[in-house]
Amino acid sequence: VNPEISFSAVSEIARHMDAADPLAAYRDRFFAAEPELIYMDGNSLGRMPSAASEKLEHVLRYEWGERLIRSWGEEWYTLPQVLGDKIGALLGAAPGQMLVCDSTSINLYKLASAALRLNLGRRKIVTDRFNFPSDVYILQGIASQMGVGHRIELIDSRDGIHIEMDDLLGAIDEDTALVGLSHTVFKSGFLYDMEYVTRQAHRKGAFVLWDLSHSAGAVPAALDDWNVDFAVGCTYKYLNGGPGSPAFLYVRTDLQQQAESPIWGWFGEDSPFAFGLDYKPAPGVRRFLTGTPPILSMQALGSGLDLLEEAGIQEIRRKSIQLTQFMIDLFDAFLAPIGFELGSPREASRRGSHISIRHPQGYRINRALIDEMQVVPDFREPDNIRFGFAPLYTSFFDVVEAVRRTVLVVREERYSKYPPDRSPVT
Amino acid sequence: VNPEISFSAVSEIARHMDAADPLAAYRDRFFAAEPELIYMDGNSLGRMPSAASEKLEHVLRYEWGERLIRSWGEEWYTLPQVLGDKIGALLGAAPGQMLVCDSTSINLYKLASAALRLNLGRRKIVTDRFNFPSDVYILQGIASQMGVGHRIELIDSRDGIHIEMDDLLGAIDEDTALVGLSHTVFKSGFLYDMEYVTRQAHRKGAFVLWDLSHSAGAVPAALDDWNVDFAVGCTYKYLNGGPGSPAFLYVRTDLQQQAESPIWGWFGEDSPFAFGLDYKPAPGVRRFLTGTPPILSMQALGSGLDLLEEAGIQEIRRKSIQLTQFMIDLFDAFLAPIGFELGSPREASRRGSHISIRHPQGYRINRALIDEMQVVPDFREPDNIRFGFAPLYTSFFDVVEAVRRTVLVVREERYSKYPPDRSPVT
C-alpha cells in the first residue's frame, strides 16, 4: 500500500468534514503566526484568541497606563468572581461558587486542606496513579503536615489506560476523608464518571475534589447537579487563557460557611479595605481568595471564555468526540501497523479531548515532529506522544496532517538523529 | 499671606531641583496618558514603563502567539529565578536566593510556615500593629493551624509613627520563633533598622522574616550582609511590575536545605518533568516554587527592573530622601497651618519613600483630590492621606502641585460635598 495515496483519500474526507463543521469559523478568531504549523498541544497551552491580544493592549494603555490605581475600583477588584462565574457556566455551577485566583496547585492546597479539616476523624486521601504528579505532591504535602496516620492511597490502572471502578470504590472506606481525582487524566485521557464517583464517595462519607484542568473548555460537567463538593482547574489549556493564567476553584454553596482556607488572605477577608487586624473570613466563596491577583494574566483570560460561551460547550464536546474518533480511525489505519499502541480509551464517553499514542521511540519521534515536521504534540513519560484536540481551532485536516507527518518520521527514521536523553522542559 | 505667591516661589525652586536632578530623564521612560495628572500613588501601583508595553506585545504575538508551548523551554521556565536574581541585586542578595512567584501573601505563608517548623520548640510570632493587615492575617492563620500555644504578639506604637526599639526587643524572648515585620511600614512610612533588629532577634534564637513591599525599588537593603533569614515583597509598587505582578521571596543560602515549604508544588520539585509520584524538593531556593507562574504578569515585570538597575538603587534612595524632605518642608509651610498633622518620621534614616498626612476630613479630602484635582494619593484608615514618591518619575514640581491642590481643596472646602462613608476599594 502506498501511504501517500491513502492520505490523499483521508485528506479529502477531512476537507469535507471541515466544510460541514459548524465551529469551523472559530479558527479565524485565534492568532496564527505560522499557517503551516499543526498545533496539537492545546491541552497544554491553548492558542491565543485575537481578542486577547486586543484586550491586553487596552489593559496596558488604559487600565494600567492611564487609570492606574483607580482601575481597582473600576474593574479589577471583582475579576476573580466575574471570571469565576463565567467558567462556572461552562461546568454547570451557578454563580457564587467559582473563583479565578492563584495556580491550580495553590487552589488544590486550599481546598484539600479545607476538606480534611471538615472530616477530621478520617485520615485517608484516595487518588490514582493517573493524577497529575503536581496534584499528588500537594496531597502528599498536606498529609505530611496533618501528621500521624494521614496517608494517600494511589489506585493503579490495570491496562495503563482506564481506572477500574471496582479498584477505586474498594479503596473508599470509612477512614477516607477525601477522594481527589482528575476528571480527565493527563496521560491516557481517561474520563471519570464524575457523577457516579461523587455519589459513591458521599455514600462512604468522603468529600470529593475534582481537578478539571483537562476537561474545562472541552468536556462539560454539571457540578451543581452532581453535588460535587470541591473542584479546581487550570485555565491555560482548553480555556485559552494564556501561559500560566490563573486557575479556578469551586466550593459548593452549602459548604462555604464551614470550609476554612489554611491561607488567610486579605482578598478573602470580610472587609479588606477596613484594614482591621483580626482576620474574619468573607462570607461565601470569596474567603478562598488570597493575595493580589495578577491582573494582566487575569484580563487575557476573559477573551477565551467569551469564545467558549459563544460556541456552546455541548457543541464543543460534540466536535471533540468527532476529532478524537477520527484520530483513532487514522491510528488504526496508519499508526498501529508501524509499531504504535493506542494509549487512550476507545469509548467516546470515557475519554477527554486528547489522544495518547505510545511507541518505544516516542520521545525521539516527538522531538522530530517538533523540530522538523512543523507538528507540535507533547511527550509524557515513558513513551506517550499526546495529541490534543481543541474544537475551536483544530481542524479535521490538522488531524490527517499530524498523522501523516508522524508516519513520515517513522518511515524515514528521522527520529534516529535525536539523543534518547530527556531535556528538562518538553 | 497669599498662598499663591508662596506657591509660585516654591514652584520656582522645584523647577531648579528638577533641572539639576540626574534621574529626571527617567520620567520619559514611563507611559503618561494624562500629562496633567499628579500621580502620588506609585507606592501602591507603579506607573507603566513604556518598555513593558512593548515587551508585552512581543510576549503576546511571538512567545504565546507564535512559539506557543515551545516558549517554556526557550525563556519562560527560568523566569522565576532570572527575575528573582535581578531583584536580589537591588536588595543585596547574591544570586540563587530569590524567586519571583505567587503573591506576597502566599510567599509569606510558605516562608513563615517553614520558619516555624525550623523552630518548633517556640510558639510566639512577634510583629507590630503597623504591619500590613494582610501579613498579620497570614500569620494568624498559621498560628491557628500550628495549634495550642502558638500566638502572635502585636507591638504597638507610642506616637502613631514610630515603633520604639525597647518595645520590640522586649517582646522577643526565648519562646519567640519568628520576628515578622515590614521594613517600611505601610501607613506612617516608618523604616526599621533591619540590620539591628535582625541581629537582636538572632541573639534570642528567633528567625526574622522581612516584608520589603514598601522598600523594594526605593530603599536599599543588604540582605546577605545583614544575615537576614527570610524576606518577601511585592513587585507592583516601586518595582513598577504592573497590577498584581507576582511577588518575590528570599531564603538565605544556608537555610535552604533545611527549610520546607508547606505547599509541595511541582515547579519546586527536583525533576518536575520526570513526572514521578514521590515528591522530592529541589535543592536550593527553587523548592519554594509552587504551580505554573502567570507568564504575562511575570514578563511585564522585567522592564521595570531594568530601569531600576540602570538608574542605580543608591541614586534612587538619594532622590527619594530629597523628595520626602521637600514634602515635609512644604507640609510645614502650607499644610500644618490648615489643620494637617504629619504622620511620618522626620528623620530621613527612619522613613521610606512615602509621607502620610493626617486630617479629620482625610477621607473626603482624598476623594476630592482624585475626583476634582487630578491628584492621586491614597487613603488609609482612619485619617491618613498617603503621598508616594517614586524617584524614577516623581518630580519636585509634582510635589509642589500635590500640596498646592491639597491646600485648595481645604481652603475651598471642596471635600464637603463627599459623603463620609467609605467605598470598599480606595
Side-chain angles (χ1 to χ4, degrees):
Chain A
V1 56
N2 179 337
E4 284 307 321
I5 292 175
S6 317
F7 273 114
S8 79
V10 294
S11 293
E12 198 56 34
I13 295 170
R15 294 286 189 200
H16 279 103
M17 292 173 85
D18 285 330
D21 171 18
L23 296 181
Y26 283 94
R27 187 175 172 99
D28 293 334
R29 311 274 291 273
F30 291 85
F31 185 81
E34 301 177 283
E36 287 304 298
L37 185 73
I38 306 297
Y39 189 64
M40 305 303 289
D41 210 17
N43 57 318
S44 251
L45 173 61
R47 274 192 184 279
M48 179 172 73
S50 305
S53 169
E54 289 155 28
K55 172 75 178 179
L56 254 287
E57 192 174 322
H58 175 78
V59 171
L60 290 166
R61 298 183 75 86
Y62 180 73
E63 296 181 6
W64 179 13
E66 179 170 336
R67 298 301 295 164
L68 284 153
I69 194 72
R70 295 166 290 185
S71 287
W72 277 108
E74 288 161 10
E75 182 167 333
W76 296 345
Y77 185 63
T78 56
L79 277 176
Q81 289 148 287
V82 169
L83 294 171
D85 287 344
K86 272 174 183 276
I87 295 175
L90 298 170
L91 292 165
Q97 303 175 102
M98 196 84 87
L99 295 171
V100 169
C101 56
D102 300 319
S103 62
T104 312
S105 293
I106 301 280
N107 287 341
L108 180 63
Y109 179 80
K110 290 183 288 190
L111 299 194
S113 299
L116 290 191
R117 278 163 200 281
L118 286 176
N119 225 343
L120 264 184
R122 296 165 171 238
R123 294 172 304 174
K124 188 163 79 172
I125 303 173
V126 172
T127 183
D128 69 41
R129 304 188 73 85
F130 276 180
N131 206 345
F132 293 108
S134 53
D135 287 17
V136 175
Y137 300 155
I138 292 289
L139 298 174
Q140 286 171 342
I142 293 172
S144 155
Q145 286 148 46
M146 296 291 290
V148 188
H150 279 84
R151 66 199 184 280
I152 314 284
E153 186 165 342
L154 281 166
I155 309 303
D156 209 347
S157 167
R158 297 184 191 184
D159 64 359
I161 295 175
H162 303 75
I163 295 288
E164 289 295 323
M165 277 305 100
D166 286 352
D167 297 342
L168 177 73
L169 301 183
I172 304 173
D173 59 18
E174 307 299 327
D175 195 36
T176 304
L178 178 68
V179 178
L181 297 166
S182 283
H183 183 215
T184 303
V185 308
F186 81 102
K187 214 175 280 191
S188 76
F190 170 70
L191 178 68
Y192 272 103
D193 183 338
M194 197 193 301
E195 181 178 19
Y196 179 72
V197 172
T198 298
R199 196 183 321 123
Q200 297 306 319
H202 285 173
R203 267 199 196 150
K204 298 283 187 164
F207 287 110
V208 296
L209 196 173
W210 290 99
D211 186 331
L212 307 175
S213 292
H214 264 95
S215 295
V219 181
L223 296 178
D224 290 351
D225 288 349
W226 298 342
N227 210 25
V228 166
D229 306 303
F230 304 98
V232 298
C234 88
T235 65
Y236 44 77
K237 300 180 189 291
Y238 300 113
L239 298 178
N240 306 307
S245 52
F248 62 86
L249 65 80
Y250 166 89
V251 180
R252 204 180 63 222
T253 301
D254 65 289
L255 290 172
Q256 292 170 7
Q257 283 305 109
Q258 325 149 44
E260 179 186 301
S261 174
I263 304 173
W264 293 9
W266 73 302
F267 267 66
E269 216 270 339
D270 194 30
S271 311
F273 289 89
F275 292 94
L277 287 176
D278 284 304
Y279 173 82
K280 182 185 163 202
V285 73
R286 199 166 62 75
R287 63 178 56 190
F288 284 95
L289 291 177
T290 57
T292 312
I295 294 297
L296 304 187
S297 288
M298 301 275 285
Q299 285 288 44
L301 168 59
S303 309
L305 300 180
D306 289 344
L307 286 178
L308 289 158
E309 187 188 346
E310 190 185 320
I313 190 68
Q314 298 302 336
E315 191 67 11
I316 287 167
R317 172 65 173 161
R318 190 196 50 71
K319 182 176 172 188
S320 161
I321 290 174
Q322 273 193 306
L323 285 163
T324 50
Q325 186 56 55
F326 191 48
M327 176 71 193
I328 291 172
D329 294 344
L330 297 181
F331 173 88
D332 290 336
F334 300 104
L335 297 174
I338 58 171
F340 283 93
E341 275 185 46
L342 186 65
S344 294
R346 288 185 172 271
E347 325 85 271
S349 64
R350 291 277 65 81
R351 69 173 184 259
S353 204
H354 68 275
I355 295 288
S356 283
I357 62 174
R358 312 183 63 169
H359 192 284
Q361 300 297 337
Y363 173 76
R364 297 203 280 175
I365 294 168
N366 180 65
R367 282 284 307 268
L369 283 169
I370 294 172
D371 288 359
E372 298 180 33
M373 304 304 287
Q374 295 258 74
V375 178
V376 179
D378 65 20
F379 174 78
R380 289 296 177 264
E381 296 286 352
D383 59 2
N384 295 272
I385 305 173
R386 295 192 309 176
F387 291 89
F389 302 86
L392 289 190
Y393 55 79
T394 304
S395 68
F396 293 93
F397 185 73
D398 284 346
V399 184
V400 175
E401 278 301 294
V403 172
R404 188 178 70 81
R405 298 183 201 183
T406 303
V407 170
L408 275 183
V409 165
V410 175
R411 209 172 51 185
E412 299 173 359
E413 290 188 19
R414 285 178 182 235
Y415 59 83
S416 60
K417 72 166 77 74
Y418 296 94
D421 55 297
R422 274 70 162 138
S423 61
V425 185
T426 53
Chain B
V1 58
N2 180 337
E4 286 306 322
I5 294 175
S6 316
F7 275 113
S8 80
V10 293
S11 294
E12 199 56 33
I13 296 170
R15 295 285 190 200
H16 279 103
M17 293 173 85
D18 285 328
D21 171 18
L23 296 181
Y26 284 93
R27 186 176 173 100
D28 294 333
R29 310 274 289 274
F30 291 84
F31 184 80
E34 301 176 283
E36 286 303 300
L37 185 74
I38 306 297
Y39 190 64
M40 306 303 289
D41 210 17
N43 56 318
S44 251
L45 173 62
R47 274 192 182 280
M48 179 171 72
S50 305
S53 169
E54 289 155 29
K55 172 76 179 177
L56 255 287
E57 191 173 324
H58 175 79
V59 171
L60 290 167
R61 299 183 74 87
Y62 180 73
E63 296 181 6
W64 179 14
E66 179 170 336
R67 297 302 294 163
L68 285 153
I69 194 72
R70 295 166 289 185
S71 287
W72 277 108
E74 288 162 9
E75 182 167 333
W76 295 346
Y77 185 63
T78 56
L79 277 175
Q81 289 148 287
V82 170
L83 294 171
D85 286 345
K86 272 174 183 274
I87 295 175
L90 298 170
L91 292 164
Q97 303 175 102
M98 195 86 83
L99 295 171
V100 169
C101 56
D102 299 319
S103 61
T104 311
S105 293
I106 300 280
N107 287 341
L108 180 63
Y109 179 80
K110 291 183 290 190
L111 299 193
S113 299
L116 289 191
R117 277 164 199 282
L118 286 175
N119 225 343
L120 264 183
R122 296 166 171 236
R123 294 172 304 174
K124 189 163 78 171
I125 303 172
V126 173
T127 183
D128 69 40
R129 303 190 73 87
F130 277 180
N131 206 344
F132 294 108
S134 52
D135 287 17
V136 175
Y137 300 155
I138 291 290
L139 297 174
Q140 287 171 342
I142 293 172
S144 155
Q145 285 147 47
M146 296 290 290
V148 188
H150 280 84
R151 64 200 185 281
I152 313 284
E153 185 165 343
L154 282 165
I155 309 304
D156 209 348
S157 167
R158 298 185 191 183
D159 64 358
I161 295 175
H162 304 74
I163 296 288
E164 289 295 323
M165 277 306 101
D166 286 351
D167 296 342
L168 177 73
L169 301 183
I172 303 173
D173 59 19
E174 307 299 326
D175 194 37
T176 303
L178 179 68
V179 178
L181 296 166
S182 284
H183 183 216
T184 303
V185 307
F186 81 102
K187 214 176 280 190
S188 77
F190 170 70
L191 177 68
Y192 273 103
D193 183 337
M194 198 193 300
E195 181 178 21
Y196 179 73
V197 172
T198 298
R199 196 183 319 124
Q200 298 305 318
H202 285 171
R203 268 200 195 149
K204 297 283 186 161
F207 288 111
V208 295
L209 196 173
W210 290 98
D211 186 331
L212 307 175
S213 293
H214 263 95
S215 295
V219 180
L223 296 178
D224 290 351
D225 287 350
W226 298 342
N227 210 25
V228 166
D229 306 302
F230 303 98
V232 297
C234 86
T235 64
Y236 46 76
K237 299 180 189 291
Y238 300 113
L239 298 178
N240 307 307
S245 53
F248 62 85
L249 64 80
Y250 167 90
V251 181
R252 203 179 65 222
T253 301
D254 64 291
L255 290 172
Q256 291 171 8
Q257 284 305 109
Q258 324 149 46
E260 178 185 301
S261 174
I263 304 173
W264 292 9
W266 73 301
F267 267 66
E269 216 269 340
D270 194 29
S271 311
F273 288 89
F275 292 94
L277 287 176
D278 284 304
Y279 172 84
K280 182 184 163 204
V285 73
R286 198 165 63 75
R287 63 179 55 189
F288 284 96
L289 291 177
T290 58
T292 312
I295 295 297
L296 304 187
S297 289
M298 301 274 284
Q299 286 289 43
L301 169 59
S303 309
L305 300 180
D306 289 344
L307 286 178
L308 289 158
E309 187 188 347
E310 188 185 322
I313 190 67
Q314 298 301 337
E315 191 67 10
I316 288 168
R317 172 64 172 162
R318 189 197 49 72
K319 182 177 171 189
S320 162
I321 290 173
Q322 272 192 308
L323 285 163
T324 50
Q325 186 56 54
F326 191 47
M327 176 71 193
I328 292 172
D329 293 344
L330 297 181
F331 172 88
D332 290 336
F334 299 104
L335 297 173
I338 58 173
F340 284 92
E341 275 186 48
L342 187 65
S344 294
R346 287 184 172 272
E347 325 85 271
S349 64
R350 291 278 65 82
R351 68 173 185 258
S353 204
H354 68 274
I355 295 288
S356 284
I357 62 173
R358 312 183 63 171
H359 192 285
Q361 300 298 337
Y363 173 76
R364 297 202 281 176
I365 294 168
N366 180 65
R367 283 281 309 268
L369 283 168
I370 294 172
D371 289 359
E372 298 180 34
M373 305 304 286
Q374 295 257 75
V375 178
V376 178
D378 66 19
F379 175 78
R380 289 294 178 264
E381 297 285 352
D383 59 1
N384 294 273
I385 305 174
R386 294 192 309 177
F387 292 89
F389 303 86
L392 290 190
Y393 55 79
T394 304
S395 68
F396 294 92
F397 186 73
D398 284 346
V399 184
V400 175
E401 278 301 294
V403 173
R404 188 179 69 81
R405 298 182 200 183
T406 304
V407 170
L408 275 183
V409 165
V410 175
R411 209 173 49 184
E412 298 173 0
E413 291 188 20
R414 286 178 180 235
Y415 59 82
S416 61
K417 70 166 77 75
Y418 297 94
D421 55 298
R422 274 70 162 139
S423 61
V425 186
T426 53

